Amino acid sequence: MPDMTPQGLQRLAFGGDYNPEQWPESVWQEDVRLMREAGVTMVSVGIFSWALLEPEPGAYDFGWLDRILDLLHEHGIRVDLGTPTVVPPAWFYRAHPDALPVSREGVRYSFGSRGAICHSSPAYRAAAAAITTKLAERYAGHPALALWHVHNEYGVPVSACYCDTCAAHFRRWLDRRYGSVDAVNEAWGTAFWGQRYTSYEQIDPPRLTPTVGNPAQQLDYRRFADATLRENFVAERDILHRLSPGVPVTTNFMTALSQCDAVDYWAWGREVDLVTNDHYLITDGRRTHVNLAMAADLTRSVAGGAPWLLLEHSTSGVNWQPRNPAKRPGEMARNSLGHVARGSEGAMFFQWRQSRRGAEKFHSSMVPHAGTDSRVWREVVRLGADLDSLSALRGTRTVPDVAMVWDWQSWWAQNLEWRPTEDHDARERADSFYETLYDRHLTVDFAHPESDLTAYPLVVVPALYLATEAAGRNLRAYVERGGTLVVSYFSGIVDEHDAVHPGAYPGALRDVLGLTVEEWSPLGAGESVRIAGPGGATLPADVWTEFVVERGAEPVWTYADGPAAGRPAVTRHRLGRGTAWYVSTRLDAASLDTILAGACEDAGITPRGGLPRDVEVVRRSGDSGTYLFALNHTARDAKVPLEAPGTELLQGERAAGHLAVPAGSVRVVRLDS
């Protein structure tokens, strides 16, 4: 397989979005001087520049871009060159107002933001292909070119359009998917509420209706909208592959469950040459470093375990949340190296120089408004040096311990209307299960429910409402071959069309779990129950209870009170050479740890002693050696046990026995082989 890392980049990627068009050319020389001072190795250019590159239809101005690429090359800085198709110019919308997207409520958005695109628009597709072709023809051979960057953050802020052009496109998509209107009727269950269609022309997007619309239609429209975005990416990618062979093509993902729910990244990961991701801390009261680790693990998993690249994060505060705190001293480096520990081949930012105008002028940057006499700049320079000292680990892979099953299409289906309770949230379950594994110091791979799971001793399923028959067979085979499986409630319920699997809940997962569920009994707001387990221990639970019937499974914990009092709450099913656990109620992360302790014992995963909470330890390994990352997210110094001596790369010191990690700091040890 050809090398799909950024071309000509000999060190870890370090830099950010560079928007020189916002500044007079007199600033450019200062920029490249500071980039060299900071150790910048690559910048992203041209992502929002369509109006400058094509100021009038078919009239192109590449002079300024020629000059900036030449200047960057002269100073040894590689370029991630964007196709600016996320921001069509004002003249384009004046000529093609129907290329602006329409909301589900029938409101057509206006020009003046970003990403306001009907991705079914033939005019948009033609214009995007034209500007991409011109860029590829001009810069395919440019010596600074390292990577092509198509569009920007697909799915944000508009993931779906509901206009008449999309309606026609949707009908064609349905015909390709199902082959006939009768097959659509069967898949959507249109016999319910008299919604049967006799021709494709009768089918519209799931626009606003008086009450809840057909859930299967809504689910298919989510799939269609995602596929339409991907069609446009592939069209640009193929132009770049044809005209600029050998240079990898990417687009920046937003895999964090806290940031984008509109894109099926399993499908997108197969289309890019290099998986890249944007990640921003969400200040919603949760432990932000756990969310960061989860997003990095998820991105690496979308990349199939291969190295990937953090293409955007922030040096300090952002500007689009209700409250935007600054990062504390050392936090930027800890965030950056946390991504590297979990597989990123560098750390890049939005953006290089802080904007004076526009919607993101208060978003932090590598060169802040305060200039180079600032804490942020000094930390940027230090980070550049630290990343340079880690260049030898390029190409190594993060070593996982366990897997978590996640499926974006199941998430879409679960989030549709009229579910048993609004308090059950798939993201919350994923966060809680991940946090529990994180606090057990286990590195998590994410996996599609139909993927090969044999490499993992433990697989956790926090929320799989939509589970195909193939997924059910796959999970059963995993357990029969000796795996340990943990499944949370409201999983296995419906098939790919949001139709309930025949028979009792939990449908596709009945056999592997060795039980059935007669009925759910969600709890009221603020209500809770207790479950009782071994040795008289009890744990609090809320949101959800079930009437579970064992069909081979054994009760481990029982409802002590509540509507299902006396019935099994947590079960364990021996199947073949493995074991399947089922958790039928909502437990917080601390209580989940008690359950996962038993599952880890079944899986042969021994507790990792000597590691304090919020001291993160991750390994990368490959031809150049094994690297242990230790990140101390606490305010106290910590010691991390080492299984072998080695060299600490950031300080250049030998380490053996225990590694000292000061409060808020990071240490990276190349272990002796």
Side-chain angles (χ1 to χ4, degrees):
M1 182 177 177
D3 181 9
M4 286 289 103
T5 57
Q7 297 296 289
L9 194 61
Q10 303 302 316
R11 295 177 289 165
L12 294 175
F14 179 58
D17 282 28
Y18 182 36
N19 299 291
E21 64 270 27
Q22 296 180 15
W23 302 91
E25 291 198 28
S26 58
V27 177
W28 298 2
Q29 291 289 341
E30 174 73 358
D31 282 334
V32 294
R33 184 187 68 79
L34 291 176
M35 287 178 190
R36 289 177 64 88
E37 180 181 331
V40 166
T41 60
M42 187 169 74
V43 293
S44 301
V45 175
I47 297 169
F48 302 107
S49 302
W50 194 343
L52 292 177
L53 295 170
E54 189 180 5
E56 299 293 339
Y60 299 96
D61 179 6
F62 294 111
W64 69 272
L65 188 54
D66 290 345
R67 294 191 296 277
I68 196 64
L69 293 190
D70 290 347
L71 182 63
L72 291 166
H73 174 63
E74 179 185 339
H75 288 79
I77 298 164
R78 308 297 293 161
V79 171
D80 165 37
L81 185 56
T83 69
T85 50
V86 69
V87 283
W91 60 255
F92 171 81
Y93 287 120
R94 181 66 63 179
H96 305 285
D98 57 350
L100 286 162
V102 174
S103 72
R104 190 180 180 194
E105 294 77 15
V107 176
R108 189 176 294 278
Y109 294 107
S110 296
F111 173 78
S113 181
R114 63 167 184 156
I117 299 164
C118 168
H119 281 269
S120 295
S121 165
Y124 169 75
R125 291 183 169 205
I131 188 66
T132 299
T133 299
K134 290 293 184 181
L135 283 164
E137 289 173 341
R138 190 172 189 91
Y139 297 110
H142 197 284
L145 181 63
L147 182 67
W148 285 105
H149 180 309
V150 171
H151 204 266
N152 183 73
E153 296 178 345
Y154 279 101
V156 178
V158 178
S159 61
C161 171
Y162 295 81
C163 72
D164 290 341
T165 302
C166 287
H169 190 185
F170 183 45
R171 295 171 194 131
R172 294 191 297 272
W173 183 87
L174 289 171
D175 189 41
R176 290 194 301 272
R177 182 175 178 86
Y178 293 106
S180 70
V181 176
D182 286 344
V184 174
N185 283 316
E186 176 64 23
W188 289 3
T190 57
F192 186 80
W193 280 0
Q195 295 174 357
R196 185 172 180 81
Y197 301 101
T198 57
S199 72
Y200 283 117
E201 287 66 31
Q202 297 168 1
I203 301 175
D204 284 326
R207 294 166 176 149
L208 191 64
T209 52
T211 186
V212 174
N214 187 314
Q217 180 188 15
Q218 293 186 66
L219 178 57
D220 263 349
Y221 205 75
R222 294 291 296 266
R223 292 176 173 132
F224 158 75
D226 177 54
T228 301
L229 298 175
R230 202 159 53 250
E231 284 176 10
N232 285 353
F233 166 76
V234 168
E236 292 190 47
R237 180 203 66 192
D238 289 352
I239 291 169
L240 296 168
H241 278 171
R242 175 171 54 86
L243 297 174
S244 183
V247 179
V249 181
T250 191
T251 186
N252 44 339
F253 295 170
M254 298 187 75
T255 63
L257 306 186
S258 54
Q259 291 177 241
C260 181
D261 65 356
V263 174
D264 181 354
Y265 285 116
W266 294 125
W268 282 80
R270 296 189 291 269
E271 301 294 349
V272 297
D273 297 327
L274 171 69
V275 167
T276 62
N277 195 54
D278 298 351
H279 182 264
Y280 294 96
L281 300 183
I282 303 299
T283 53
D284 60 358
R286 310 186 199 203
R287 295 156 72 198
T288 56
H289 56 279
V290 179
N291 175 275
L292 184 153
M294 184 177 179
D297 283 345
L298 190 50
T299 307
R300 182 187 68 253
S301 302
V302 167
W308 55 280
L309 178 59
L310 175 67
L311 207 53
E312 285 185 28
H313 71 313
S314 66
T315 57
S316 191
V318 297
N319 71 316
W320 38 264
Q321 299 183 79
R323 286 161 289 279
N324 298 285
K327 291 185 178 180
R328 297 181 180 181
E331 188 175 2
M332 177 185 66
R334 209 162 59 247
N335 291 166
S336 302
L337 296 174
H339 287 286
V340 174
R342 296 177 185 271
S344 177
E345 294 285 82
M348 298 184 65
F349 295 91
F350 181 85
Q351 58 179 325
W352 164 252
R353 185 179 286 274
Q354 197 165 12
S355 300
R356 291 187 57 229
R357 299 175 175 84
E360 295 186 284
K361 57 183 171 288
F362 300 126
H363 191 295
S364 62
S365 68
M366 299 175 76
V367 182
H369 292 310
T372 57
D373 186 15
S374 63
R375 174 180 67 86
V376 165
W377 173 253
R378 288 186 285 272
E379 291 192 17
V380 163
V381 173
R382 175 62 185 271
L383 177 60
D386 285 347
L387 288 171
D388 187 56
S389 70
L390 301 179
S391 293
L393 62 73
R394 291 174 68 240
T396 61
R397 295 191 173 208
T398 300
V399 180
D401 299 302
V402 299
M404 179 180 289
V405 166
W406 181 257
D407 181 27
W408 277 274
Q409 295 194 28
S410 176
W411 192 20
W412 298 344
Q414 183 177 314
N415 283 345
L416 295 171
E417 305 96 333
W418 287 9
R419 299 309 186 222
T421 174
E422 65 180 14
D423 296 327
H424 174 48
D425 177 3
R427 180 200 158 193
E428 182 278 328
R429 283 294 77 193
D431 284 348
S432 292
F433 272 86
Y434 183 90
E435 184 176 0
T436 303
L437 295 169
Y438 178 95
D439 284 341
R440 296 186 74 83
H441 303 286
L442 298 173
T443 301
V444 179
D445 269 357
F446 285 81
H448 187 274
E450 296 179 19
S451 65
D452 184 2
L453 302 170
T454 54
Y456 306 104
L458 174 67
V459 172
V460 171
V461 183
L464 192 63
Y465 163 75
L466 186 159
T468 63
E469 291 183 3
R473 291 192 297 269
N474 188 51
L475 293 172
R476 178 182 176 120
Y478 164 75
V479 173
E480 288 176 331
R481 290 191 296 262
T484 300
L485 180 71
V486 180
V487 177
S488 186
Y489 64 90
F490 205 45
S491 294
I493 307 304
V494 300
D495 66 13
E496 61 268 34
H497 305 300
D498 198 48
V500 174
H501 285 285
Y505 310 131
L509 303 182
R510 279 193 305 263
D511 293 344
V512 67
L513 295 174
L515 55 83
T516 58
V517 175
E518 291 182 346
E519 194 174 9
W520 304 311
S521 186
L523 300 175
E527 292 183 349
S528 63
V529 297
R530 298 194 70 80
I531 62 173
T538 63
L539 296 172
D542 62 7
V543 172
W544 190 278
T545 63
E546 294 183 345
F547 295 92
V548 173
V549 179
E550 309 100 303
R551 310 286 184 183
E554 303 170 353
V556 181
W557 293 75
T558 303
Y559 288 105
D561 53 25
R567 306 291 287 266
V570 178
T571 61
R572 181 172 177 265
H573 183 217
R574 293 181 176 88
L575 182 65
R577 301 196 304 272
T579 307
W581 292 69
Y582 182 59
V583 183
S584 71
T585 187
R586 191 176 82 162
L587 304 174
D588 62 19
S591 297
L592 278 175
D593 183 69
T594 302
I595 308 303
L596 287 179
C600 285
E601 184 176 349
D602 282 349
I605 298 172
T606 57
R608 294 191 168 160
L611 292 177
R613 188 174 190 257
D614 290 326
V615 174
E616 185 177 332
V617 176
V618 185
R619 288 168 177 78
R620 286 182 63 156
S621 187
D623 292 343
S624 65
T626 296
Y627 302 83
L628 182 145
F629 284 74
L631 300 92
N632 186 350
H633 299 286
T634 77
R636 301 180 64 181
D637 296 347
K639 288 188 176 181
V640 171
L642 294 175
E643 68 268 25
T647 300
E648 202 290 307
L649 299 178
L650 302 182
Q651 304 296 313
E653 300 171 348
R654 291 291 294 171
H658 284 79
L659 173 68
V661 188
S665 297
V666 180
R667 295 291 182 262
V668 184
V669 177
R670 186 184 186 278
L671 300 175
D672 294 344
S673 57

